[in-house]
Amino acid sequence: MADSESQSYLDPVAISRGENLGILARKVVEGYRVGEHRSPFKGFAIEFAQHREYTIGDDPRHLDWKVLGRTDRYYIKQYEQDTNFVVQLLVDGSESMNYGGGKITKLHYAKALAACLAYLVLLQRDAVAVSLFDSESREYIPRTDSLGKIHHIMNRLAAFEATQKTSLGTAMGDIARIARARGIIVVLSDLFDDEEGFERGLQQLRFGGHEVVVFHVLDPDELEFPFKGRVEFIGLEGAPKLETSPADIRKSYLKEMDAMRQRMRVACERTGSHYVLANTGLPLAETLSGYLVFRNKVCAR
Amino acid sequence: MTFLNPAMLFGLLAVSLPVAIHLLSKPRLKRVRWAATKFLLASVQKNRRRVQVEDLLLLILRSLLVVLLVLIFARPALLTDAGPQLGGLAAPAVIILDDSMSMGQSDGVKTRFEQAKAMADDLLDHLEPGSSSALYLVTYHVKAVIPKPTQDMSILRRSIDQAPLTDGGSDLYPGIKMAVDLLKGLPGTHREIFVLTDSQTAAWRELGKIRDLVDLNKKDIAFHFLSVGDHGEDNLAVSGLQVAGTTAAVNQPLRCAITVSNWGRSAVQNVPVKLVADDNPPQDEGMIDRIEPGTSKIITLVARFRDPGHHSLTASIPGDRLPADNQRATALLVLDQINALVVEGTANPDFAARDGFFLSHALVPVSPDQAAQYYVKVATVPTDELENSTIAQNQVIFLSNVAQLTPRGAQNLRDYVNHGGALVVFPGPTTDVNYYNSDPNFSVLLPATLGRAQGPPDAQKFLGWQSKGYEHPIVTLWNKPESGTLGGIRVTKYFPLTPKPAAGGTASPAQAAQVVVKYADGEPAVAEQSVGKGKVILFSSTATTAWTTLPIHPAFVPLLIRIISYVTSAPSGGLDLSPGQPFASAVDSEYAGQKLSVLRPGEKKLRIVGTIESGEQSAFLRYADTDLAGPYRLFIGDDTKPAAVFAVQSDPDESNLAQEPKSDLEPLLNPTATPDNAQPNASDQAQGSHRKVPGQELWFPLALAALLLALIETGLAHRFSQSK
């Protein structure tokens, strides 16, 4: 797809408008699908319901060959109707997500990513729900499988503004309680939160049988710490101010940041979740398609 | 320890700069709203102490570097004991270095001049920090090598080292006066004058003026008189060289009177004297048997020249510890022949009775067959021939018994004398006294007015010439007993002469007349004067036996020869100069612009020194670098024959090395009042106050330390930035 075109939609002003967010999502997804990539999001639990006698015209693929072998009679398996799976999008709307060294913030990026995922899921007639949270769940868009609802989702995403602290573990726990049917939980957050709470959240979600994908959204500044001279860092989410020479602490900071990312990755691995680094400095399409291709490979095994 | 530039220590205030920068610097602060604060906090906590230590270390190193640089500029020096100290405060000074000939006296190792230069160099070491000095070289003239005081000791040392010794005479007063005038014009209250001299008597010839100068200025200026050399060194010198009364003409024996003086304390014996013409082997040699201490002896040697033109004669004795005065040179123009014109006032058929008879024969005192080779050529003409411009071809014109001249003839004669011709006038019975005394062109030539012709006074039969005590160069020959006397010349009639004073403001300014010889009663018998470039000699009686026995006296021929030699000697200005005196000579204007070269005394190679200068009616040879005694040869273009030769002769008094008695110099050496802010010494030999003076400077080790510190700081700063 035309990355520059999609990136052009990654404009903070544009993303603030639902319509533009929808256009962006469509562009990104269609770009992905043009590559003949199949959606990696598939139903995976088809439950057996009952047998009935075979009649002419039934798909012989559904013959229960074991019963035939035992009874010498032809019976068709009937299954529960394939239910649409639900993708729960958890978007971290805390104040820390407001940081952006470039044009867009992490929140802008997370919104765009959520929009793309929502569009992709709805396009294949599966259901998506969106939860925007900070210290608690702020906005919840209930599950819908109607593409017509996409505009509503985009509008809600676009309008959301982050102002509060994060409590990722709480948000994840809430979703774990709400989401009865097993589905896919996609967390889009910078994970600047209580790490234990986050891992606990992961465990809860996984215990609920959900598949969890964590998009760790980080700004290039947070990843590379390129600051020079003398800088006063004004902490978001109530963190204190700090004046320092970045050159003095860069090495140490990077070490801390890498260690945190490593811990998040390990926590995800420990809970069987997927960890994806979403560098807001990289094109959105690259990040998304990179994950989707990976997922396709994994799910195809 | 002390500091040679203590003012620079104010630079220590600059140490506050790195500290101020460190403490107060607020570089442009960037503000960033940051999400990942917890990671920053952790990093800052871990690095805070380390960063503080690194910053402090760099601050200390940088401050130390500033301190070291300030100290280097302040020039710290260790204090050492010094010898006799001169002065006591930083002050402008003048060093006066006597570079006269006597300073060339050697003690076998060093000359006085070398000793004085070493003393001057040592003086510079002991000047107070911040002092400055000018440098004068003094003989009769003052040469301001460094005209104004400078603090640049390297220039001073170099100038002292390169100062040349001259053959000039000594006179300290002009240099001291110039130094006083200079220092009085400078700001400050403490000034010093150092005079380094061999304290020769000649140098103190103006002692009274020097004393007055010191007394007048001793409150503001410290005078230090420093003496080199021992008292009254023995010295033998050639103190005179004169071509004695003979004309310098080709192939004619040239008698040279050479004076050798003994300035020692004991007699010297068997002093060989040589006479050299140009650079040829000695022409003549002689031996002086004995010269008593403090006296001089004259020896006459003879030289001959084969070629006309410019030549030099050099008389020499064996070398001693002052070699500069062991030879003396003179320059002379050797003539091919002397053309003499005898103008007869009356015509007389009797050849022997003619007015010019005795003159023409005395002027060529050889047999007719030898006359052609004789250097004097005589032509006898009547008075009206003076109107002819060809008279300029003669070197000397004799007038004998001429009554008057025509106006044109008188004008011609006047021009002739003004342009360098010589005129010898013998009045006679037909002489018109009024004309001689009043003609506007002729009278100005005569050195005396004529009175009416008269006989001897007091009814004597005759009047004789003086018999002794001859002072004029023409007649000094007859001071020698072996030459006889002029007292036998008798006069029965004469024109009384009244010598004229110097005449000025005329077209041909005449110098004061001199009496050549007197009568026995003291009245002038012969007078002479210089007019323009020429000379005029006036006799009071005839050139014939009409009124005097002079023409038939044995002295007549040598008298005429000496007159010719005298009147044809060096042109006005002379060819013998004093050291430092510039030489100038007119040459044909066609030479203007051509290169001028000189062969200096003792040198073998020509030096190109400039070009011939152009004047209004002629060109000029000019050369001024005449500090060394000896013959100088000037060449025009590529000509191998010298266009001019002149000689520089040192002052004979300079050979007397006796020092001025200390008693005469006491008031100067021990001034009764000292300058307000100075601590003068009695003399350099006196024991002055010993005190600490700056010695070894420490800037170099400090510079090394600063360099090392800078390297350490650079390395640490780089390392600290890397570790972050």
Side-chain angles (χ1 to χ4, degrees), chain B residues 202-549:
Chain B
W204 296 101
R205 67 186 72 215
E206 297 185 88
L207 178 57
K209 284 187 182 177
I210 294 174
R211 280 207 197 100
D212 292 341
L213 200 58
V214 170
D215 283 341
L216 201 60
N217 295 282
K218 61 192 173 191
K219 282 186 182 176
D220 300 318
I221 301 175
F223 292 86
H224 309 279
F225 294 93
L226 313 175
S227 179
V228 293
D230 295 333
H231 297 273
E233 293 268 359
D234 291 346
N235 186 36
L236 208 59
V238 178
S239 53
L241 170 60
Q242 277 188 323
V243 175
T246 48
T247 306
V250 171
N251 290 324
Q252 297 304 310
L254 200 61
R255 293 163 58 84
C256 303
I258 300 160
T259 308
V260 178
S261 301
N262 178 10
W263 297 109
R265 287 160 290 187
S266 52
V268 290
Q269 295 182 345
N270 300 325
V271 179
V273 183
K274 291 182 185 174
L275 184 64
V276 169
D278 300 320
D279 290 326
N280 298 321
Q283 286 226 355
D284 198 6
E285 297 179 39
M287 185 78 75
I288 298 178
D289 295 331
R290 183 182 174 88
I291 310 177
E292 297 298 328
T295 65
S296 302
K297 278 278 178 73
I298 297 176
I299 181 172
T300 301
L301 298 178
V302 176
R304 286 174 195 266
F305 291 95
R306 289 184 185 165
D307 303 309
H310 296 275
H311 295 275
S312 66
L313 281 170
T314 304
S316 64
I317 58 175
D320 56 15
R321 288 193 175 177
L322 182 59
D325 62 0
N326 296 134
Q327 55 190 17
R328 183 171 287 269
T330 187
L332 61 165
L333 180 63
V334 176
L335 300 173
D336 194 9
Q337 64 183 37
I338 304 288
N339 292 318
L341 190 68
V342 175
V343 179
E344 294 178 323
T346 59
N348 197 320
D350 182 2
F351 185 75
R354 290 169 71 171
D355 291 327
F357 172 78
F358 290 98
L359 276 172
S360 57
H361 280 81
L363 286 170
V364 187
V366 295
S367 61
D369 57 337
Q370 291 175 326
Q373 284 78 40
Y374 195 65
Y375 73 102
V376 179
K377 309 294 180 196
V378 178
T380 306
V381 297
T383 309
D384 54 5
E385 279 296 312
L386 287 174
E387 293 184 5
N388 203 324
S389 60
T390 56
I391 65 170
Q393 295 171 359
N394 298 283
Q395 279 75 37
V396 60
I397 294 176
F398 293 86
L399 300 184
S400 179
N401 194 26
V402 169
Q404 286 187 0
L405 301 175
T406 62
R408 189 171 166 185
Q411 179 65 52
N412 235 13
L413 198 61
R414 185 176 177 181
D415 292 340
Y416 163 80
V417 173
N418 279 327
H419 285 99
L423 176 66
V424 183
V425 180
F426 287 89
T430 65
T431 296
D432 182 346
V433 170
N434 286 334
Y435 174 81
Y436 272 48
N437 291 334
S438 60
D439 181 75
N441 283 317
F442 188 66
S443 67
V444 297
L445 296 176
L446 300 180
T449 54
L450 278 67
R452 283 186 170 279
Q454 65 186 50
D458 302 329
Q460 296 173 39
K461 285 187 180 177
F462 55 83
L463 193 53
W465 282 22
Q466 67 184 94
S467 60
K468 59 181 177 182
Y470 304 103
E471 294 175 354
H472 195 278
I474 292 175
V475 292
T476 51
L477 173 68
W478 285 277
N479 285 326
K480 296 180 185 176
E482 59 269 26
S483 300
T485 177
L486 297 174
I489 296 171
R490 296 178 181 184
V491 171
T492 56
K493 200 169 183 182
Y494 64 101
F495 292 94
L497 300 180
T498 305
K500 295 177 184 173
T506 63
S508 310
Q511 299 174 11
Q514 297 181 61
V515 174
V516 176
V517 66
K518 301 172 188 175
Y519 287 117
D521 64 354
E523 289 296 310
V526 183
E528 71 97 1
Q529 71 175 9
S530 294
V531 178
K533 293 183 181 177
K535 290 187 172 69
V536 180
I537 298 177
L538 174 64
F539 282 77
S540 57
S541 191
T542 61
T544 63
T545 54
W547 289 0
T548 176
T549 61

Side-chain angles (χ1 to χ4, degrees), chain A residues 4 63 66-67 86 93 100 110 114 122 134 160 170 176 196 202 216 231 237 239 250 257-258 265 274:
Chain A
S4 59
L63 279 172
K66 285 182 182 172
V67 170
V86 182
L122 288 174
D134 44 44
F160 185 80
T170 305
E196 284 182 11
L202 284 178
H216 193 178
V231 180
E237 296 189 18
R250 182 166 179 269
M257 176 57 71
D258 286 344
R265 185 197 302 277
H274 291 172

Side-chain angles (χ1 to χ4, degrees), chain A residues 58-65 76 79:
Chain A
D58 284 335
D59 188 346
R61 286 183 296 177
H62 295 300
L63 279 172
D64 191 340
W65 298 101
I76 294 293
Y79 300 93

Side-chain angles (χ1 to χ4, degrees), chain B residues 528-607:
Chain B
E528 71 97 1
Q529 71 175 9
S530 294
V531 178
K533 293 183 181 177
K535 290 187 172 69
V536 180
I537 298 177
L538 174 64
F539 282 77
S540 57
S541 191
T542 61
T544 63
T545 54
W547 289 0
T548 176
T549 61
L550 173 63
I552 55 172
H553 191 277
F556 188 52
V557 169
L559 181 65
L560 287 178
I561 290 173
R562 291 181 74 86
I563 284 173
I564 287 176
S565 172
Y566 180 77
V567 298
T568 59
S569 62
S572 177
L575 295 174
D576 293 337
L577 310 176
S578 300
Q581 186 179 351
F583 173 79
S585 175
V587 293
D588 201 30
S589 57
E590 71 179 16
Y591 295 117
Q594 291 195 34
K595 77 173 178 199
L596 177 64
S597 308
V598 65
L599 191 63
R600 289 169 56 84
E603 292 180 4
K604 302 285 183 193
K605 207 173 170 186
L606 278 177
R607 291 191 199 186

Side-chain angles (χ1 to χ4, degrees), chain B residues 9-94:
Chain B
L9 290 173
F10 281 107
L12 284 172
L13 291 171
V15 172
S16 60
L17 274 175
V19 176
I21 290 169
H22 180 79
L23 294 176
L24 303 174
S25 68
K26 291 279 183 191
R28 285 178 64 164
L29 202 61
K30 189 178 171 185
R31 288 192 169 82
V32 176
R33 291 177 64 80
W34 184 249
T37 306
K38 67 175 180 180
F39 307 110
L40 282 185
L41 285 171
S43 301
V44 165
Q45 287 297 330
K46 279 183 188 173
N47 290 282
R48 173 167 294 168
R49 188 173 175 77
R50 182 179 58 81
V51 166
Q52 281 175 342
V53 169
E54 286 173 358
D55 282 351
L56 190 61
L57 185 59
L58 288 177
L59 175 65
I60 291 170
L61 287 174
R62 285 161 188 165
S63 299
L64 274 178
L65 197 56
V66 172
V67 168
L68 281 177
L69 286 174
V70 169
L71 287 179
I72 288 168
F73 280 110
R75 293 180 67 192
L78 296 173
L79 288 173
T80 59
D81 283 328
Q85 292 301 300
L86 300 165
L89 300 168
V94 180

